[in-house]
Amino acid sequence: MSNDFGTWQIVHIPDKEPHELHQQPTENVVCSVIDPKRANQIVRRLNQIAPLENHRHVKRIHKKILEGGKIQLSVILCLASEGDNQLDSLPPYIHEMISSYQLSPFIAKVCKYAATSKEEWQEQCKFWPTSYHPLTYKIDGITGFNEEDSKSVFKFMQSAIELASSDGLVVNAAVIVDPSAKQIISNARDQVFAWSTCEVDSDIDSSCIKKPGLFNSRSISTGFAPRESFHLNGSSNQLKQPFTSVSCLYPWQWAEQQSQSQSSYYCHPLRHAAIVAIESSAARDRRLFPSEGNIEERCLEFDHEKSWPSAPAKKQKTTCANVEDYDKLNSHSCTSDQPFERPYLCTGYDIYLVWEPCTMCAMALVHQRIRRIFYAFPNPNAGALGSVHRLQGEKSLNHHYAVFRVLVPEEGQHTLRKCYTEVAETEEINIC
Amino acid sequence: MSSPETITFMESAIKQATLALDALEVPVGVEFVVASCVIVEDGNVIASGRNRTTETRNATRHAEMEAIDVLLEQWQKNGLSMSEIAEKFSNCSLYVTCEPCIMCASALSILGIKEVFYGCPNDKFGGCGSILSLHLSNTMPLNNGVSPGKGFKSTGGIMAPEAILLLRTFYEQGNPNAPKPHRPLARQA
């Protein structure tokens, strides 16, 4: 496995669709040209009486160099009111400013929202200068990605990609991770065409693996979809193949599949990788914490959750550091000072998916309270994290996760191909 | 106006939820709306379901998913092929106390169900018009020839007062499993 993730990248997928580069929404402001000598005084006064509270990205002053090198400064007095006669309905304190500095107000346009990229920012400054701060991902208590965090993200994504292609047939794969302990909670491949009801319980064991990359994948030879090798177009980071076995990409195609010859395996059109991974994590929860949990225990958890944004990693690490395996946990030989706390559903957990989830899966992850979603490839057919819908931006939902895309470069392709070939060769040997 | 048949099936759906309440299993997930449902084929109830989110600790186990699983297993045991199952679903109607959420509405579209009747709307998660309109899937094939989602007919407001009453019963009871209760738990008198 390659440990060099030099050209891998994490890209935040925002809650709102980015605006067309040349169609930045604007709004009107009341401005005036001012005497540069009095600029400091005027701006200080304006920041007191008419601060641009929700427009911190907009600069108060616009500097223009006129012909002959003369500098002209314009200042925003205030936001323009709605309606036709915007200059006639100014608040009294602005009128006061206008008369005391002999200003001549005019209407100008500024960009309504902060730029999300350098390109947007350059476009915005054509109207009126704005400031641009690249995202540091400090949203909803989510800390930024330092080198160690990034490496961990890449490793888990690589695990998901390996799992997706571990059976020759490329399907979607999901890996649920507790980031504070860097531990895999559960993982799953799509099981739309190969699901055995009797395997649900034994799944719990195989799906909880301490180290990424050691997947106990069940070898179910499905044999009705064409084999597809993982091929990545490194430069554009788009996949060329249709990958018709990926459930989230083609959720409606299950009905067109031929029946499975092995009678012990059921088909289930809704058993997409994320749904199966959620099921496994719930089964793990029931297994690790068999008691229903009374209200007093719950209260402890409330306190823990309250303190979570301020001191997340340390507290979690002390509780999880000694958790090596289930046997230890179950026999209460955990030597930690604090009792092991049961998470509420998947609160605090991340999920890695090779493809952007469909609407069903994305909403399932809202229900199960996943904290962050990482996916490698977009899903233009049915993706619900930006492609077709954007659930992370649906304000009415009771939970919001942060969404990131992991860009997998050509080096990743090499690993994938090697992995694919190895799997294919092993299978051939088995067949012989 | 709802037909007598619609009322009858909605009554059986609501009965599922009351059964759950009586059994003291809060028929509701993570501060989620009460839902229970029946699936009807040719005028007969062929499956029913209610939330099992609390006991399974799996917040995706909504009533609809439970009822769907019953049918999928049963039909395959009876030897039906995938295309026969698809045909079956296209003749089924779902009666559910509350508007299906975004996840369930997507699932119903994936399965290609014929029609959905629901009680009260779900203004936080509803996938049949409240937040997203997944029942109105477009009929044009996508540019790459992929078959798009199948829409289904959706009718809300069937016996809504009864459905809301169920909700209220739940809210008064409170959900002891929610992490930060938005509503205080009902105090023991």
Side-chain angles (χ1 to χ4, degrees), chain A residues 254 267-268 286 289 302 344 368, chain B residues 30 57 59 69 76 177 179:
Chain A
W254 62 274
C267 298
H268 194 308
R286 295 195 304 270
F289 307 95
F302 301 164
Y344 180 67
Q368 201 69 9
Chain B
V30 201
R57 301 180 201 171
D69 279 8
Q76 286 182 78
N177 280 341

Side-chain angles (χ1 to χ4, degrees), chain A residues 3-298:
Chain A
N3 283 322
D4 177 23
F5 296 109
T7 47
W8 291 52
Q9 264 186 65
I10 305 172
V11 180
H12 179 242
I13 308 294
D15 299 351
K16 290 196 192 103
E17 195 164 0
H19 301 291
E20 281 286 319
L21 201 53
H22 301 289
Q23 290 169 15
Q24 299 288 315
T26 58
E27 64 188 315
N28 289 348
V29 289
V30 181
C31 306
S32 173
V33 172
I34 53 169
D35 176 1
K37 285 174 194 155
R38 309 184 80 168
N40 254 336
Q41 200 184 353
I42 291 174
V43 168
R44 209 172 297 143
R45 178 96 186 97
L46 281 170
N47 282 341
Q48 277 171 0
I49 61 169
L52 299 174
E53 279 298 347
N54 296 317
H55 296 75
R56 291 182 186 277
H57 61 287
V58 178
K59 301 216 171 180
R60 196 99 211 191
I61 285 193
H62 186 188
K63 183 171 148 187
K64 219 183 199 173
I65 297 172
L66 302 174
E67 274 180 55
K70 203 183 161 210
I71 288 172
Q72 186 197 60
L73 293 187
S74 310
V75 69
I76 297 176
L77 298 174
C78 62
L79 294 180
S81 57
E82 311 246 322
D84 296 333
N85 306 315
Q86 293 172 319
L87 286 177
D88 298 336
S89 53
L90 297 176
Y93 48 86
I94 295 293
H95 272 300
E96 216 172 277
M97 287 284 287
I98 291 170
S99 55
S100 61
Y101 292 99
Q102 281 129 41
L103 306 176
S104 21
F106 63 93
I107 296 290
K109 283 187 189 306
V110 300
C111 282
K112 208 168 175 173
Y113 305 107
T116 54
S117 67
K118 202 179 160 197
E119 291 71 29
E120 262 188 37
W121 172 65
Q122 285 165 339
E123 205 57 36
Q124 291 196 342
C125 291
K126 290 178 186 168
F127 292 95
W128 186 279
T130 60
S131 53
Y132 166 56
H133 302 286
L135 266 179
T136 49
Y137 305 130
K138 294 208 167 160
I139 35 176
D140 295 338
I142 292 154
T143 52
F145 296 100
N146 58 29
E147 203 177 317
E148 194 200 338
D149 290 345
S150 305
K151 208 169 172 183
S152 160
V153 165
F154 300 146
K155 267 189 184 165
F156 284 123
M157 183 54 82
Q158 195 172 44
S159 306
I161 292 171
E162 279 172 21
L163 183 60
S165 50
S166 66
D167 207 21
L169 181 77
V170 176
V171 296
N172 205 358
V175 180
I176 295 178
V177 169
D178 176 355
S180 62
K182 292 199 167 50
Q183 183 194 26
I184 291 180
I185 299 297
S186 71
N187 64 60
R189 286 163 54 86
D190 284 339
Q191 290 184 354
V192 169
F193 302 115
W195 172 52
S196 167
T197 43
C198 57
E199 284 196 38
V200 169
D201 284 334
S202 61
D203 237 19
I204 303 161
D205 294 317
S206 66
S207 60
C208 299
I209 293 140
K210 277 169 270 167
K211 286 181 203 163
L214 297 170
F215 291 103
N216 186 3
S217 66
R218 284 167 295 132
S219 240
I220 299 162
S221 192
T222 43
F224 41 75
R227 273 190 182 172
E228 293 153 313
S229 68
F230 235 106
H231 179 82
L232 302 169
N233 181 342
S235 55
S236 66
N237 225 281
Q238 299 293 322
L239 293 163
K240 282 178 182 165
Q241 278 79 3
F243 291 105
T244 49
S245 299
V246 175
S247 311
C248 283
L249 281 176
Y250 303 93
W252 296 281
Q253 273 187 5
W254 62 274
E256 293 155 31
Q257 295 286 352
Q258 296 299 306
S259 267
Q260 175 62 269
S261 56
Q262 291 163 280
S263 56
S264 61
Y265 293 112
Y266 285 116
C267 298
H268 194 308
L270 307 180
R271 288 185 71 82
H272 294 195
I275 301 284
V276 183
I278 287 173
E279 185 183 83
S280 293
S281 76
R284 176 189 182 269
D285 185 20
R286 295 195 304 270
R287 192 186 143 113
L288 286 184
F289 307 95
S291 69
E292 275 296 306
N294 59 35
I295 288 169
E296 273 170 32
E297 276 172 9
R298 285 277 150 208

